[in-house]
Amino acid sequence: MKHRSEGTSSPPKARAGSRRRRRHSRHPVWLASLGVLAILAAAIGWNLAPTGDSTDGASTIEAAAAHPNQHRGRPSASPTPSASATARGTSSPAPSPAAGGTGTGPGKSGVTGTSGTASGSRATTTTAPRTTTPTQAPPAPVVAPPAVSGGGAVPGGMSGLAAGSLTQVNAWAAFRGSPVTAVVAFSDRNSWQTITNPWLGSGPEKLSTFAGTWVISQPFFPNGQGDMSSCANGAYSSQWASFGRWLVAKGRPASIVRLAWEFNGDWFPWSVSKTNATTWVNCFRQVVSAIRSTDPQARIDWALNAHSGGAWSVYPGDAYVDIIGVDTYDHWPASTSDATFAAQCAEATGLCSAIAFARQHGKQFSVPEWGLVGKSDTGAGRAGKAGGDNPVYIRNMYNTFKANKDILAYEAYFNDSAPGNVHSSLLNPNENPNGAATYASLW
């Protein structure tokens, strides 16, 4: 949390005495007396005055991508899929248990590209105004976790964060005391050129030397430059084949492609709510086939949103998916206890349900985005559905990852402090000191 400067204290009254002394310079006796009194008043005044205490909270780190994700608040209504959809897994799976009988919490988000912007609204709570009394005690100081806490116990699979630079990656590794092995990035969705030749790998700071795995979030087509029907008919296959060649040329053929993420929400152009299930599934298959035609090692992550329905009916099929992903945040509602966390996890599109679905289909699972949600400046916060600085959520997420580490492909925390976004940040700035300390102690 950013700390505001307290400012400096008012100058002591002794200075007023010294000004009076200069106005009566014609009376040396009174002048001497007033000089002594001024010295005594100065000593007393300065000892009683409070010391100004300012804390620099202005240091920030650039967002996960050049433009931060825009996270939606309220869950969208479930789209009504076409009965002719060629999809699998239409039933809601049973939740996968986590350590200690807890599952994984829910959340939701939407993402922008490196220089694109996402559409959709966010929700946040308006906190009640604080009342103060003359005897109110000063707020307790916020204690940030150690810079390197040495948790060093990654729960399984690859682990990291959404990031746009190597500086962010290195800071995160130092903060938690364990290496970052996966980075979630977002392509610029404004043109085919920036989609098929993303900014990733353009230099060391842009992760060309990152030793872990790239997870690249990709749309079906650029903003305002495509449609679902054309995609389903293979109109964009040549562009996606070009992207596969780019991955190979960059020496990253085994990268993970998070294609059309959060498709079961209603805030992206590729949302299944904007077309029918058959068209959506065919589009997904066309893109996957084109990428694999030039990069057969690319791994495809089919990533849904935990707080929206209508996901399982548009599963493209085992032949087109390598990883079952789910984006989940601590809101709608918040997981403030082990019991509420487990209930969230067991929802139809909750994390535990996604894990169970992955097991049924012989797939790994991923959590490409997860994090805390602030109680102010967020949609869920305004509705009273955000957990805020909630260590319970952090701990239960860790336990769920660990309990299912045998099929965990990767998990990535979404560390963001952008205005109007989720305010999940644990580092640079630390907006959630309790959650940050818990995270650092576990990872």
Side-chain angles (χ1 to χ4, degrees):
M1 183 180 295
K2 293 184 179 179
H3 304 287
R4 296 178 187 149
S5 173
E6 306 246 343
T8 56
S9 59
S10 301
K13 294 183 178 179
R15 293 179 181 174
S18 63
R19 288 195 298 269
R20 190 178 302 116
R21 175 182 48 142
R22 286 193 296 270
R23 286 196 296 269
H24 295 277
S25 56
R26 295 182 181 179
H27 305 281
V29 175
W30 285 107
L31 175 63
S33 301
L34 287 174
V36 173
L37 290 175
I39 293 172
L40 292 174
I44 295 171
W46 283 112
N47 286 335
L48 293 177
T51 303
D53 179 19
S54 65
T55 305
D56 183 10
S59 60
T60 57
I61 190 166
E62 67 177 90
H67 288 265
N69 296 5
Q70 305 297 327
H71 291 77
R72 280 36 153 213
R74 187 172 301 280
S76 62
S78 303
T80 305
S82 167
S84 61
T86 51
R88 307 181 189 182
T90 55
S91 61
S92 298
S96 174
T102 58
T104 314
K108 78 175 293 185
S109 70
V111 191
T112 68
T114 306
S115 62
T117 54
S119 60
S121 60
R122 308 179 270 282
T124 9
T125 40
T126 313
T127 55
R130 296 177 58 187
T131 57
T132 59
T133 63
T135 58
Q136 183 182 16
V142 174
V143 180
V148 180
S149 56
V154 172
M158 295 181 289
S159 175
L161 77 161
S165 70
L166 191 61
T167 296
Q168 291 176 338
V169 170
N170 291 338
W172 194 257
F175 154 65
R176 71 183 195 174
S178 59
V180 170
T181 51
V183 167
V184 173
F186 305 91
S187 68
D188 180 335
R189 306 197 303 269
N190 287 323
S191 71
W192 277 115
Q193 174 63 25
T194 54
I195 287 174
T196 61
N197 294 268
W199 56 269
L200 275 162
S202 58
E205 184 61 11
K206 295 304 179 184
L207 307 173
S208 64
T209 59
F210 175 60
T213 297
W214 288 353
V215 180
I216 308 175
S217 306
Q218 290 280 32
F220 281 149
F221 42 79
N223 293 332
Q225 300 174 52
D227 63 84
M228 295 297 297
S229 295
S230 297
C231 176
N233 291 326
Y236 311 132
S237 292
S238 62
Q239 284 92 339
W240 286 112
S242 177
F243 173 63
R245 284 189 290 269
W246 178 86
L247 287 171
V248 173
K250 286 291 182 181
R252 301 277 181 165
S255 294
I256 296 171
V257 182
R258 188 168 70 129
L259 181 61
W261 71 100
E262 298 180 6
F263 57 86
N264 59 324
D266 60 4
W267 42 87
F268 284 129
W270 56 82
S271 168
V272 70
S273 67
K274 302 183 189 309
T275 184
N276 60 71
T278 300
T279 299
W280 194 93
V281 167
N282 287 338
C283 175
F284 192 97
R285 290 176 173 179
Q286 288 281 5
V287 173
V288 171
S289 297
I291 294 172
R292 287 177 173 171
S293 71
T294 53
D295 180 9
Q297 295 183 59
R299 303 186 68 199
I300 307 302
D301 192 343
W302 180 73
L304 57 109
N305 180 64
H307 292 287
S308 304
W312 312 119
S313 61
V314 291
Y315 181 58
D318 291 344
Y320 297 90
V321 173
D322 298 298
I323 301 168
I324 306 298
V326 56
D327 289 356
T328 179
Y329 288 81
D330 187 27
H331 59 184
W332 301 107
S335 298
T336 54
S337 69
D338 292 348
T340 54
F341 188 93
Q344 280 272 15
C345 199
E347 289 180 347
T349 52
L351 178 57
C352 288
S353 296
I355 293 171
F357 187 87
R359 290 190 183 279
Q360 291 170 5
H361 290 262
K363 304 295 181 181
Q364 290 183 301
F365 80 97
S366 70
V367 186
E369 295 180 38
W370 69 276
L372 300 174
V373 178
K375 292 185 177 181
S376 62
D377 193 29
T378 66
R382 278 194 298 271
K385 301 292 185 179
D389 187 4
N390 182 11
V392 173
Y393 173 78
I394 298 287
R395 174 173 50 79
N396 276 280
M397 287 296 286
Y398 181 88
N399 288 342
T400 305
F401 294 150
K402 188 175 181 179
N404 296 281
K405 64 182 180 181
D406 59 313
I407 62 166
L408 175 58
Y410 70 94
E411 54 84 14
Y413 191 86
F414 190 79
N415 190 65
D416 182 80
S417 62
N421 212 344
V422 287
H423 290 284
S424 57
S425 185
L426 306 182
L427 179 69
N428 297 329
N430 180 359
E431 295 183 298
N432 301 283
N434 296 317
T438 299
Y439 181 96
S441 70
L442 293 171
W443 271 260

Coordinates of all heavy atoms in Angstrom, one line a residue, residues 302-344:
W302 N -6.1 -23.9 -23.1 CA -7.5 -23.5 -23.3 C -7.9 -22.9 -21.9 O -8.2 -23.7 -21.0 CB -8.3 -24.7 -23.7 CG -9.8 -24.5 -23.8 CD1 -10.4 -23.8 -24.9 CD2 -10.8 -25.0 -23.0 NE1 -11.8 -23.9 -24.7 CE2 -12.1 -24.6 -23.6 CE3 -10.8 -25.7 -21.8 CZ2 -13.3 -24.9 -23.0 CZ3 -12.0 -26.1 -21.2 CH2 -13.3 -25.7 -21.8
A303 N -7.9 -21.6 -21.8 CA -8.0 -21.0 -20.4 C -9.4 -20.3 -20.3 O -9.7 -19.3 -21.0 CB -6.9 -20.0 -20.2
L304 N -10.2 -20.7 -19.3 CA -11.5 -20.2 -19.1 C -11.4 -19.2 -17.9 O -10.4 -19.0 -17.3 CB -12.5 -21.3 -18.8 CG -12.1 -22.2 -17.6 CD1 -13.0 -21.9 -16.4 CD2 -12.2 -23.7 -18.0
N305 N -12.5 -18.5 -17.7 CA -12.7 -17.6 -16.5 C -13.4 -18.3 -15.4 O -14.5 -18.8 -15.7 CB -13.4 -16.3 -16.9 CG -13.5 -15.4 -15.8 OD1 -12.5 -14.9 -15.2 ND2 -14.7 -15.1 -15.4
A306 N -12.9 -18.2 -14.2 CA -13.5 -19.0 -13.1 C -14.9 -18.5 -12.7 O -15.7 -19.2 -12.1 CB -12.6 -19.0 -11.9
H307 N -15.3 -17.3 -13.0 CA -16.6 -16.7 -12.6 C -17.6 -16.6 -13.6 O -18.6 -15.8 -13.5 CB -16.3 -15.4 -11.9 CG -15.6 -15.6 -10.6 ND1 -16.1 -16.1 -9.4 CD2 -14.3 -15.3 -10.3 CE1 -15.2 -16.1 -8.5 NE2 -14.1 -15.7 -9.0
S308 N -17.4 -17.3 -14.7 CA -18.4 -17.2 -15.8 C -18.8 -18.7 -16.2 O -18.0 -19.6 -16.1 CB -17.8 -16.5 -17.0 OG -17.4 -15.2 -16.7
G309 N -20.0 -18.8 -16.6 CA -20.4 -20.2 -17.1 C -20.2 -20.4 -18.5 O -19.5 -19.7 -19.2
G310 N -20.7 -21.5 -19.0 CA -20.6 -21.8 -20.5 C -19.3 -22.2 -21.0 O -19.0 -22.0 -22.2
A311 N -18.4 -22.8 -20.2 CA -17.1 -23.1 -20.7 C -17.0 -24.6 -21.2 O -16.5 -24.8 -22.4 CB -16.0 -23.0 -19.6
W312 N -17.5 -25.5 -20.5 CA -17.3 -26.9 -20.8 C -18.0 -27.3 -22.2 O -17.5 -28.2 -22.9 CB -17.8 -27.8 -19.7 CG -17.3 -27.4 -18.4 CD1 -18.1 -27.0 -17.3 CD2 -16.0 -27.2 -17.9 NE1 -17.3 -26.6 -16.3 CE2 -16.0 -26.7 -16.6 CE3 -14.7 -27.5 -18.6 CZ2 -14.8 -26.5 -15.9 CZ3 -13.6 -27.2 -17.8 CH2 -13.6 -26.7 -16.5
S313 N -19.0 -26.6 -22.5 CA -19.7 -27.0 -23.8 C -19.0 -26.5 -25.0 O -19.4 -26.9 -26.1 CB -21.1 -26.4 -23.8 OG -21.1 -24.9 -23.7
V314 N -18.0 -25.7 -24.9 CA -17.2 -25.3 -26.0 C -15.7 -25.8 -25.9 O -14.8 -25.2 -26.5 CB -17.2 -23.8 -26.2 CG1 -18.6 -23.3 -26.7 CG2 -16.8 -23.0 -25.0
Y315 N -15.6 -26.9 -25.3 CA -14.2 -27.6 -25.2 C -13.9 -28.0 -26.7 O -14.6 -28.8 -27.2 CB -14.2 -28.7 -24.3 CG -12.9 -29.4 -24.1 CD1 -11.8 -28.7 -23.8 CD2 -12.8 -30.8 -24.4 CE1 -10.5 -29.4 -23.6 CE2 -11.5 -31.4 -24.3 CZ -10.4 -30.7 -23.9 OH -9.2 -31.3 -23.8
P316 N -12.8 -27.6 -27.2 CA -12.4 -27.9 -28.6 C -12.1 -29.4 -28.9 O -12.1 -29.8 -30.0 CB -11.2 -27.0 -28.9 CG -11.3 -26.0 -27.9 CD -11.8 -26.6 -26.6
G317 N -11.8 -30.1 -27.8 CA -11.4 -31.5 -28.0 C -10.0 -31.8 -27.6 O -9.1 -30.9 -27.7
D318 N -9.7 -33.0 -27.1 CA -8.4 -33.3 -26.6 C -7.3 -33.1 -27.7 O -6.2 -32.8 -27.3 CB -8.4 -34.8 -26.1 CG -9.2 -35.0 -24.9 OD1 -9.6 -34.0 -24.2 OD2 -9.6 -36.1 -24.5
A319 N -7.6 -33.3 -28.9 CA -6.6 -33.2 -30.0 C -6.1 -31.8 -30.2 O -5.1 -31.6 -30.8 CB -7.2 -33.8 -31.3
Y320 N -6.9 -30.8 -29.7 CA -6.5 -29.4 -29.9 C -6.1 -28.7 -28.6 O -5.8 -27.5 -28.7 CB -7.8 -28.7 -30.5 CG -8.1 -29.2 -31.8 CD1 -9.1 -30.3 -31.9 CD2 -7.6 -28.7 -33.0 CE1 -9.4 -30.8 -33.2 CE2 -7.9 -29.3 -34.2 CZ -8.8 -30.3 -34.3 OH -9.2 -30.8 -35.5
V321 N -6.1 -29.4 -27.5 CA -5.8 -28.7 -26.2 C -4.7 -29.5 -25.5 O -4.8 -30.8 -25.4 CB -7.0 -28.6 -25.3 CG1 -6.7 -28.1 -23.9 CG2 -8.1 -27.7 -26.0
D322 N -3.7 -28.9 -24.9 CA -2.7 -29.5 -24.1 C -2.8 -29.2 -22.6 O -2.5 -30.1 -21.8 CB -1.3 -29.0 -24.6 CG -1.0 -29.4 -26.0 OD1 -0.9 -30.6 -26.3 OD2 -0.8 -28.4 -26.8
I323 N -3.4 -28.1 -22.3 CA -3.5 -27.6 -20.9 C -4.9 -27.0 -20.7 O -5.4 -26.3 -21.5 CB -2.4 -26.6 -20.6 CG1 -1.0 -27.1 -20.8 CG2 -2.6 -26.1 -19.2 CD1 0.1 -26.1 -20.8
I324 N -5.5 -27.3 -19.6 CA -6.8 -26.7 -19.2 C -6.4 -25.6 -18.2 O -5.9 -25.8 -17.1 CB -7.7 -27.7 -18.5 CG1 -7.9 -29.0 -19.3 CG2 -9.0 -27.1 -18.1 CD1 -8.6 -28.7 -20.7
G325 N -6.7 -24.4 -18.6 CA -6.3 -23.2 -17.8 C -7.5 -22.6 -17.2 O -8.6 -22.6 -17.7
V326 N -7.3 -21.9 -16.1 CA -8.4 -21.1 -15.4 C -7.8 -19.9 -14.7 O -6.9 -20.0 -14.0 CB -9.2 -22.0 -14.5 CG1 -8.3 -22.6 -13.4 CG2 -10.4 -21.2 -13.8
D327 N -8.4 -18.7 -15.1 CA -8.0 -17.5 -14.4 C -8.9 -17.3 -13.2 O -10.2 -17.3 -13.3 CB -8.2 -16.3 -15.3 CG -7.1 -16.3 -16.4 OD1 -6.2 -17.1 -16.4 OD2 -7.2 -15.4 -17.3
T328 N -8.4 -17.1 -12.0 CA -9.2 -17.0 -10.8 C -8.6 -16.0 -9.8 O -7.4 -15.9 -9.6 CB -9.3 -18.4 -10.1 OG1 -10.0 -18.4 -9.0 CG2 -7.9 -19.0 -9.8
Y329 N -9.5 -15.2 -9.3 CA -9.2 -14.1 -8.4 C -10.0 -14.2 -7.1 O -11.1 -14.9 -7.1 CB -9.3 -12.7 -9.0 CG -8.3 -12.4 -10.1 CD1 -8.4 -13.0 -11.4 CD2 -7.2 -11.7 -9.8 CE1 -7.4 -12.7 -12.3 CE2 -6.2 -11.4 -10.7 CZ -6.3 -11.9 -12.0 OH -5.4 -11.7 -13.0
D330 N -9.6 -13.5 -6.1 CA -10.3 -13.6 -4.8 C -11.5 -12.6 -4.7 O -11.5 -11.6 -4.0 CB -9.3 -13.3 -3.7 CG -9.9 -13.5 -2.3 OD1 -10.9 -14.3 -2.2 OD2 -9.5 -12.9 -1.3
H331 N -12.5 -12.9 -5.5 CA -13.7 -12.1 -5.5 C -14.9 -12.8 -6.1 O -14.8 -13.9 -6.6 CB -13.5 -10.8 -6.3 CG -13.1 -10.9 -7.7 ND1 -12.8 -9.8 -8.5 CD2 -13.0 -12.0 -8.5 CE1 -12.6 -10.2 -9.8 NE2 -12.6 -11.5 -9.8
W332 N -16.1 -12.3 -5.9 CA -17.3 -12.8 -6.4 C -17.6 -14.3 -5.9 O -17.8 -15.1 -6.8 CB -17.4 -12.7 -7.9 CG -17.3 -11.3 -8.4 CD1 -16.2 -10.7 -9.0 CD2 -18.3 -10.3 -8.2 NE1 -16.5 -9.4 -9.3 CE2 -17.8 -9.1 -8.8 CE3 -19.6 -10.3 -7.7 CZ2 -18.5 -7.9 -8.9 CZ3 -20.3 -9.1 -7.8 CH2 -19.7 -7.9 -8.3
P333 N -17.7 -14.6 -4.6 CA -17.3 -13.7 -3.5 C -15.9 -14.0 -3.1 O -15.2 -14.8 -3.6 CB -18.3 -14.2 -2.4 CG -18.4 -15.7 -2.7 CD -18.4 -15.8 -4.2
A334 N -15.5 -13.3 -2.0 CA -14.1 -13.5 -1.5 C -14.0 -14.8 -0.7 O -15.0 -15.3 -0.2 CB -13.8 -12.3 -0.6
S335 N -12.8 -15.4 -0.7 CA -12.6 -16.6 0.1 C -11.9 -16.2 1.4 O -10.7 -16.3 1.5 CB -11.7 -17.5 -0.7 OG -12.4 -17.9 -1.9
T336 N -12.7 -15.9 2.4 CA -12.1 -15.4 3.6 C -12.0 -16.4 4.7 O -11.5 -16.2 5.8 CB -13.0 -14.2 4.2 OG1 -14.3 -14.7 4.3 CG2 -12.9 -13.0 3.3
S337 N -12.3 -17.7 4.3 CA -12.2 -18.8 5.2 C -11.9 -20.0 4.4 O -12.1 -20.0 3.2 CB -13.4 -19.0 6.1 OG -14.5 -19.5 5.3
D338 N -11.4 -21.1 5.0 CA -11.2 -22.3 4.3 C -12.5 -22.9 3.7 O -12.5 -23.4 2.6 CB -10.6 -23.4 5.2 CG -9.2 -23.0 5.7 OD1 -8.6 -22.1 5.1 OD2 -8.7 -23.7 6.6
A339 N -13.6 -22.7 4.4 CA -14.8 -23.2 3.9 C -15.3 -22.5 2.7 O -15.8 -23.1 1.7 CB -15.9 -23.1 5.0
T340 N -15.2 -21.1 2.7 CA -15.7 -20.4 1.5 C -14.8 -20.6 0.4 O -15.2 -20.6 -0.8 CB -15.8 -18.9 1.9 OG1 -14.5 -18.4 2.4 CG2 -16.9 -18.6 2.9
F341 N -13.5 -20.8 0.6 CA -12.5 -21.1 -0.4 C -12.9 -22.4 -1.1 O -12.9 -22.6 -2.3 CB -11.1 -21.2 0.1 CG -10.1 -21.3 -0.9 CD1 -9.4 -20.2 -1.5 CD2 -9.7 -22.5 -1.4 CE1 -8.5 -20.3 -2.4 CE2 -8.7 -22.6 -2.4 CZ -8.1 -21.5 -2.9
A342 N -13.2 -23.5 -0.3 CA -13.5 -24.8 -0.8 C -14.8 -24.7 -1.7 O -15.0 -25.3 -2.7 CB -13.7 -25.8 0.3
A343 N -15.8 -23.9 -1.2 CA -17.0 -23.8 -1.9 C -16.8 -23.1 -3.3 O -17.4 -23.5 -4.3 CB -18.0 -22.9 -1.1
Q344 N -16.0 -22.1 -3.3 CA -15.6 -21.4 -4.5 C -15.0 -22.4 -5.5 O -15.3 -22.4 -6.7 CB -14.7 -20.2 -4.2 CG -15.4 -19.0 -3.8 CD -15.8 -18.1 -4.9 OE1 -15.9 -18.5 -6.1 NE2 -16.1 -16.9 -4.6

